Amino acid sequence: MVLLAASGFNLLKVNPGLVVWTLITFTIVVVVLKKFAWDKILHALEERASGIQEDISKAETLRKDAEKSFSEYKEKLHQATEEAHRIVEEGKRDAIALRNKLTEETNNDLKNMKDGALREIELAKSKALSEMQGQIVEMSVLIASEILEKQLKKEDYTSFVEKEIAKLDKLKIK
């Protein structure tokens, strides 16, 4: 720039000849562009604008689809969460019912075992009493035979003592 100013060329100075030639050159360029390139440029710009518009509409459609998919996903997630909670609650109820059933069965088994043991004890007690009564009869016969010092039939004493014990048992029961 300094060289141009030093050589006497001033950019701010208007030269009428230069202005005319500039206008003529500009007009020729505009006419040539209009004749050969203007339609192609406009057509390319229109294609670009329609392509951009299509891309925008596709993007809008994709955005709407994404929002729809996202809302469906959220709904499915909500339903899955509710289903999971329902399954957990059902599992808890089933576990409680199973626990109660097992507790009841165990209690019934224990009661049955207790009742069986009591029956066995009662049978053993009856058997022991019967054996003891038999031994008492035998001992009574021996004692009575020694006291009387005579030899009587053992069967007579045995039946007598058994009758007396039966009478005592009837008295106890009443």
Side-chain angles (χ1 to χ4, degrees), residues 132-149:
M132 204 162 70
Q133 285 177 352
Q135 290 175 358
I136 290 172
V137 167
E138 287 180 21
M139 288 172 59
S140 298
V141 169
L142 287 174
I143 293 171
S145 66
E146 284 182 24
I147 292 175
L148 295 174
E149 292 183 352

Side-chain angles (χ1 to χ4, degrees), residues 72-90:
E72 289 173 358
Y73 167 76
K74 282 174 61 176
E75 180 63 29
K76 286 180 182 178
L77 181 64
H78 180 68
Q79 289 174 353
T81 302
E82 286 179 356
E83 180 72 15
H85 287 301
R86 188 186 61 76
I87 289 171
V88 167
E89 288 300 318
E90 186 177 321

Side-chain angles (χ1 to χ4, degrees), residues 39-171:
D39 291 335
K40 292 180 182 178
I41 291 172
L42 284 178
H43 182 67
L45 287 175
E46 287 174 3
E47 284 182 4
R48 184 171 183 232
S50 66
I52 290 172
Q53 188 62 35
E54 286 178 18
D55 290 345
I56 288 172
S57 65
K58 284 180 185 177
E60 183 67 24
T61 304
L62 289 174
R63 183 186 64 79
K64 287 180 181 177
D65 289 345
E67 286 177 354
K68 181 180 174 185
S69 296
F70 182 67
S71 65
E72 289 173 358
Y73 167 76
K74 282 174 61 176
E75 180 63 29
K76 286 180 182 178
L77 181 64
H78 180 68
Q79 289 174 353
T81 302
E82 286 179 356
E83 180 72 15
H85 287 301
R86 188 186 61 76
I87 289 171
V88 167
E89 288 300 318
E90 186 177 321
K92 285 180 183 178
R93 283 192 305 271
D94 290 346
I96 290 170
L98 181 62
R99 182 188 69 199
N100 291 341
K101 179 182 175 188
L102 290 175
T103 302
E104 184 178 328
E105 287 176 0
T106 303
N107 287 339
N108 288 339
D109 289 346
L110 288 174
K111 185 179 181 287
N112 291 339
M113 289 173 64
K114 179 183 170 188
D115 291 345
L118 288 174
R119 279 191 302 271
E120 287 179 19
I121 290 171
E122 195 61 40
L123 287 174
K125 181 179 170 184
S126 298
K127 185 178 177 183
L129 284 175
S130 296
E131 288 177 6
M132 204 162 70
Q133 285 177 352
Q135 290 175 358
I136 290 172
V137 167
E138 287 180 21
M139 288 172 59
S140 298
V141 169
L142 287 174
I143 293 171
S145 66
E146 284 182 24
I147 292 175
L148 295 174
E149 292 183 352
K150 67 182 198 173
Q151 200 63 354
L152 293 176
K153 289 184 183 176
K154 184 177 179 183
E155 295 84 23
D156 293 336
Y157 285 115
T158 303
S159 66
F160 173 74
V161 173
E162 285 178 353
K163 286 179 187 176
E164 293 302 317
I165 289 175
K167 286 180 187 177
L168 288 173
D169 283 340
K170 286 180 184 178
L171 290 174

